[in-house]
Amino acid sequence: MAYDLITMGRIGVDLYPLQTGVPLPQVTSFGKFLGGSATNVAVAAARLGRRTAVITRTGDDPFGTYLHEALKDFGVDDRWVTPVPGLPTPVTFCEVFPPDDFPLYFYRRPKAPDLEIDAHELDLDGIRDARVFWVTGTGLSEEPSRTATLAALAHRAKSGTTVFDLDWRPMFWTDPDAARPFYKEALRHTTVAVGNLDEVEVATGVREPHAAARALLDAGVELAVVKQGPKGVLAVNREGASAEVPPLPVNVLNGLGAGDAFGGSLVHGLLAGWDLEKTMRHANAAGAIVASRLECSSAMPTPGEIEAAVTAGAVK
């Protein structure tokens, strides 16, 4: 049976301080969690009852073993998660200064194993058969992952729903101009583009939300989703339908992972055939719920939790 969702991209271990409002030099204890944007999206969709898998790579080390165990615990198929001898599994630290300051510190040197995904090792038929395939901008930042990502997109040829999470991380690129040609090529093969204002500007050169959405549609996608922070989310499709949904009120504890929860719920709504407004409201609610919690992967909400937040109009 085909997967509802296959994601391809980052994986790692998130080490989050168990004290909030404390800089890293003074933190005394950390929690260990499964992390990585593409992986978290697969977890979020699995929590909503979807059959998911992730294509990525880890180090051949105890942290890599932990990630396999965590994926299985979350119900995400790990058959395409393979080790890279000689490279350590990445770890990511953050600082937690609610409500809006969450500095990230990526330890992905000398190179992250998830950037060693090779096109020759991909199960292209499995990718083509998935109902939704999800790739990220980080996967385009280095070879051989860049070629593998574009090869997977080209082979899929827009079958089903193909999502490009723009996922702009400036520390992985020399500058936006270096990323733009690869983003343009990826957009040619995708049906849905998702990004915040910084990310859509990298992809299109345009920052105004409605103009950026139009630029993404002109680049080849069928649905553009532009996350506007405090102004909520804008979604526009090729048929001219649009939805602009405000964020849900929430007491933010840790904003990291909210976008991945949004992504998992977005996939769920697309698979369910919901209209744009319902899809965006539920995705916003999923993101808000995770923002109210410390962790990311293990904080992904259930359908009942999302429905309760949508009904209440806030995260309580």
Side-chain angles (χ1 to χ4, degrees), residues 165-203:
D165 176 2
L166 302 178
D167 184 42
W168 167 249
R169 301 286 181 172
M171 66 284 293
F172 300 155
W173 296 87
T174 54
D175 59 62
D177 289 337
R180 197 163 285 133
F182 302 113
Y183 274 53
K184 182 178 180 180
E185 178 64 17
L187 287 168
R188 288 181 55 239
H189 300 290
T190 54
T191 62
V192 180
V194 183
N196 61 30
L197 295 178
D198 290 336
E199 291 165 341
V200 298
E201 184 175 19
V202 169

Side-chain angles (χ1 to χ4, degrees), residues 142-167:
E142 288 192 44
E143 295 288 5
S145 172
R146 177 185 298 150
T147 293
T149 300
L150 295 175
L153 290 172
H155 184 82
R156 186 168 167 84
K158 293 191 175 183
S159 59
T161 298
T162 305
V163 184
F164 181 23
D165 176 2
L166 302 178
D167 184 42

Side-chain angles (χ1 to χ4, degrees), residues 219-240:
V221 306
E222 297 170 13
L223 172 63
V225 179
V226 181
K227 293 183 279 189
Q228 307 175 81
K231 290 187 66 178
V233 61
L234 168 69
V236 182
N237 69 19
R238 186 170 294 282
E239 287 71 45

Side-chain angles (χ1 to χ4, degrees), residues 12 36 38 66 90 100 102 108 110 114 142 147 163 221-222 225 243 252 276 281 301-302 314:
Y66 161 71
D100 58 3
F102 309 101
R108 292 168 58 86
D114 55 62
E142 288 192 44
T147 293
V163 184
V221 306
E222 297 170 13
V225 179
V252 175
L276 278 184
R281 287 194 183 281
T302 65

Side-chain angles (χ1 to χ4, degrees), residues 94-116:
C94 78
E95 294 175 301
V96 181
F97 297 106
D100 58 3
D101 187 20
F102 309 101
L104 279 171
Y105 303 91
F106 291 97
Y107 289 79
R108 292 168 58 86
R109 296 297 176 190
K111 186 179 184 180
D114 55 62
L115 293 174
E116 284 291 315

Side-chain angles (χ1 to χ4, degrees), residues 4-313:
D4 291 319
L5 170 67
I6 296 175
T7 68
M8 179 173 171
R10 287 202 311 276
I11 195 170
V13 176
D14 287 344
L15 295 173
Y16 285 177
L18 299 182
Q19 298 86 42
T20 62
V22 178
L24 277 181
Q26 280 74 55
V27 173
T28 57
S29 57
F30 295 86
K32 179 172 97 274
F33 306 99
L34 171 75
S37 180
T39 304
N40 279 339
V41 170
V43 170
R47 187 65 59 86
L48 298 175
R50 298 300 179 176
R51 184 169 184 253
T52 72
V54 60
I55 301 168
T56 190
R57 306 197 72 182
T58 70
D60 188 9
D61 54 24
F63 274 148
T65 301
Y66 161 71
L67 293 176
H68 278 278
E69 293 172 350
L71 286 169
K72 292 173 183 175
D73 287 344
F74 288 126
V76 177
D77 196 318
D78 66 342
R79 70 181 61 195
W80 295 308
V81 182
T82 57
V84 180
L87 290 179
T89 298
V91 297
T92 302
F93 289 87
C94 78
E95 294 175 301
V96 181
F97 297 106
D100 58 3
D101 187 20
F102 309 101
L104 279 171
Y105 303 91
F106 291 97
Y107 289 79
R108 292 168 58 86
R109 296 297 176 190
K111 186 179 184 180
D114 55 62
L115 293 174
E116 284 291 315
I117 299 172
D118 193 290
H120 299 96
E121 299 172 354
L122 294 175
D123 181 350
L124 292 174
D125 290 341
I127 289 170
R128 185 190 58 232
D129 292 343
R131 297 178 68 192
V132 180
F133 180 52
W134 179 291
V135 301
T136 73
T138 297
L140 299 172
S141 64
E142 288 192 44
E143 295 288 5
S145 172
R146 177 185 298 150
T147 293
T149 300
L150 295 175
L153 290 172
H155 184 82
R156 186 168 167 84
K158 293 191 175 183
S159 59
T161 298
T162 305
V163 184
F164 181 23
D165 176 2
L166 302 178
D167 184 42
W168 167 249
R169 301 286 181 172
M171 66 284 293
F172 300 155
W173 296 87
T174 54
D175 59 62
D177 289 337
R180 197 163 285 133
F182 302 113
Y183 274 53
K184 182 178 180 180
E185 178 64 17
L187 287 168
R188 288 181 55 239
H189 300 290
T190 54
T191 62
V192 180
V194 183
N196 61 30
L197 295 178
D198 290 336
E199 291 165 341
V200 298
E201 184 175 19
V202 169
T204 68
V206 180
R207 188 174 183 87
E208 194 282 321
H210 289 270
R214 173 50 55 190
L216 290 168
L217 294 173
D218 290 344
V221 306
E222 297 170 13
L223 172 63
V225 179
V226 181
K227 293 183 279 189
Q228 307 175 81
K231 290 187 66 178
V233 61
L234 168 69
V236 182
N237 69 19
R238 186 170 294 282
E239 287 71 45
S242 66
E244 194 158 8
V245 177
L248 262 66
V250 59
N251 291 320
V252 175
L253 177 58
N254 185 356
L256 302 173
D260 303 330
F262 179 101
S265 183
L266 170 65
V267 168
H268 181 62
L270 293 173
L271 289 170
W274 294 344
D275 62 39
L276 278 184
E277 182 165 346
K278 180 176 181 179
T279 300
M280 294 306 121
R281 287 194 183 281
H282 280 70
N284 262 359
I289 290 167
V290 171
S292 73
R293 299 169 175 174
L294 175 64
E295 64 273 22
C296 290
S297 52
S298 56
M300 296 301 171
T302 65
E305 289 172 328
I306 295 173
E307 197 62 51
V310 170
T311 300

